[in-house]
Amino acid sequence: MPASLEVNHIREIDRVLEGGISVRDDDVRQSWLRCVNRHGLDPSRPNPAYIVPDGKLREHREKSEKLISIARSGLENLFRQVAGQNYVLLLADNHGITVDFFGDRSFESDLRKAGLYLGSDWSENLAGTCGVGSCITTGEAITIHQTDHFDFTHTPLSCTAAPIFNTAGELTAVLDISLLRSPQPKISQSLAMQLVTTSARRIELANLMAMNRSEWVLRFSQMPEFLDVDPEAALALDGSGNIIGMTHIAARMISKAVHIDWRSSAQLIGQPVSRFFNLAIDDLPELTRGRPTEERLIFLKDGTSMFGHAISPHHNISSVTTRINLPRPLQVLSDEEPQMRQLEKAAAKLSNGPASVLIAGETGSGKERLARAMHHSSLNPSAPFVVVNCAAISEEMIEQVLFGIETRQGLIQSANGGTLFLDEVGDLTPAVQARLLKVLSDGELPSVDNLPSVKLRIKIISATERDVSRMIEEGTLKSNFYFHIAAATLRMPPLRERTDFDWLLDKLLRQRAISYPRSYRLSAAARLELKHRAWPGNIRELVSALDVALAMSESEVIDLEDLPKPALPESPPALRQSKTLGEEADDLKTALKICGWNISRTARYLGINRTTVHRRMERLGIQRPH
């Protein structure tokens, strides 16, 4: 940009801010210039705060899920420190979208209008000069106070933001503490700056510790008093003493010692720790808690002295290695739960091959989610993933809905090149099974009328909650069709067998609370109650229970009285698949009687759809009493 043009823009900015207001801070001035020159914003034209739609917010929160989980306890503690001072806490991702939020609900309308709210977009190209946006652009902690803001809409605000970096040195989030109204002097926000930078540092440290349980971690500080409990910085090291992760203050410290730019993570990650410190991997055992803190003195290459605390690797390396090697869509299904981890490993291996897969498991246990995760872990995750609700397809509908005989717009054609998911495949009639088997075996949709044949390349994943062996014996499942769709079988464990219930509970609570203005947590009594339920409806039932609890709760703490009663009065017997037809009929009759023979209510009670209830009544010879 020509110098004269830059000067003209500065003059225009100062002209707009006449009346005693000027852009004095250099970082703020540079941000204003970016807003005018790069983003084409007009400081004289106010823009209201923008809250992204719920669907978009859900996407951003899911991507930041692990960070939110790690940061939440720290944010709750920080919010308690500033309670009563009208501060609002925002955790934004690296796109500027607020993915977590703590604020006084009594000011909800004002906070939403100001953009100090869940889902608000604070990217600099949209909001102009602001705490979150400027922090993302510069990578530095910053206070944007009142008239520092580019947009007149935000001039009453005071926003102090600090960056949060991941262990690879990439900016991944911003922690912001804001006031709707604050004292005039900018220096009044000095305490806010100290609080937000300290919290960001602790979040980075917690993230590094969580991700490197099986590696050496070297934590260090300039003062020994808080080394073991609240260190300034930390590095993660592999078995050869090479740096594999770092907090960004650690990056600043070690890069300064050898005169390189701390932002150049390529010059830090993968380098031996001996390049920056006068120590090697073999020296780390001497820095564990076995020695007094003041004796754990280490030196950077420039002679700066530090106090070091080394944490040795956990020995459960196999599970960590497995987690790292799993594709991300499968990795997030559990928290290293043993049954799930073995399932995910097998699913990862089966994702890319042509072998068909049958997923067995109780209703609501997550079979479709596993199928989607396998599809998104394949070599072509952008290919179509088409769900066939087998319970809803009658013999009369099959030709058009499944095969698209007249128009070639059927579900099989739609899935070509991708994945066809046959949900509740056991509900297909033998005639439909035979018709589908013919098409899948031939590998093409046959020509009909003036339409040519279509070659098919489809991955088949099926799911069922029923006992396929018994179905084959009874003739309701054709053996040749079964062998075609079940080259491999994966069993989804029921919720009551999973050991990561707390992790799953917290994850689902965050997801279901996304449309609420507050952050929620479970009381100890409510958590204990949920952990001891049988969950015959599995994850689907748990999600429903949380939805009710969120609606009923009048505070941020969900307690016992907010929880709905269990869907069933006692733990379910063995899987319904293992029952005889007579036992299955008795169970369905019992459910129908409990629900007053109301089909919709019975479907919700059993966690299935209305069509499935009707089909099972017909198959089992059950008629509604007159």
Side-chain angles (χ1 to χ4, degrees), residues 258-275:
V258 294
H259 310 291
I260 61 176
D261 185 354
W262 71 271
R263 290 180 177 84
S264 180
S265 58
Q267 297 186 61
L268 303 174
I269 299 293
Q271 296 296 312
V273 67
S274 57
R275 181 186 175 191

Side-chain angles (χ1 to χ4, degrees), residues 121-328:
D121 188 338
W122 284 104
S123 53
E124 195 177 69
N125 65 312
L126 180 66
T129 302
C130 58
V132 171
S134 298
C135 183
I136 290 173
T137 302
T138 64
E140 302 284 351
I142 191 170
T143 295
I144 302 297
H145 185 69
Q146 295 183 350
T147 54
D148 289 344
H149 287 90
F150 184 87
D151 197 299
F152 284 162
T153 305
H154 305 137
T155 54
L157 307 180
S158 183
C159 305
T160 299
I164 298 173
F165 292 82
N166 64 19
T167 59
E170 302 163 336
L171 192 147
T172 189
V174 171
L175 179 58
D176 176 276
I177 182 169
S178 295
L179 279 172
L180 275 171
R181 299 166 191 84
S182 66
Q184 182 63 37
K186 189 171 183 175
I187 197 171
S188 65
Q189 299 310 301
S190 297
L191 177 59
M193 174 63 76
Q194 180 180 347
L195 289 172
V196 78
T197 52
T198 298
S199 295
R201 170 176 58 80
R202 290 171 177 168
I203 291 170
E204 287 188 16
L205 179 63
N207 186 44
L208 182 133
M209 296 299 298
M211 293 187 63
N212 293 280
R213 297 183 181 125
S214 65
E215 309 291 351
W216 278 100
V217 174
L218 175 63
R219 313 200 310 185
F220 46 97
S221 296
Q222 294 177 327
M223 302 295 291
E225 290 81 6
F226 299 101
L227 174 63
D228 290 343
V229 293
D230 192 19
E232 293 176 49
L235 299 171
L237 309 171
D238 65 16
S240 300
N242 298 320
I243 296 172
I244 57 174
M246 58 191 176
T247 64
H248 97 273
I249 294 180
R252 289 178 183 269
M253 288 180 171
I254 65 175
S255 59
K256 182 180 178 182
V258 294
H259 310 291
I260 61 176
D261 185 354
W262 71 271
R263 290 180 177 84
S264 180
S265 58
Q267 297 186 61
L268 303 174
I269 299 293
Q271 296 296 312
V273 67
S274 57
R275 181 186 175 191
F276 308 99
F277 287 93
N278 290 325
L279 59 82
I281 189 73
D282 293 337
D283 299 320
L284 295 184
E286 296 297 316
L287 299 174
T288 59
R289 277 198 177 135
R291 295 180 60 194
T293 304
E294 59 273 12
E295 293 182 12
R296 293 182 245 150
L297 201 61
I298 57 178
F299 293 89
L300 287 161
K301 286 297 184 179
D302 64 356
T304 302
S305 62
M306 309 287 290
F307 292 89
H309 172 206
I311 300 175
S312 60
H314 289 193
H315 296 296
N316 188 17
I317 297 176
S318 60
S319 64
V320 177
T321 303
T322 301
R323 186 180 185 90
I324 293 173
N325 290 337
L326 281 172
R328 177 67 179 170

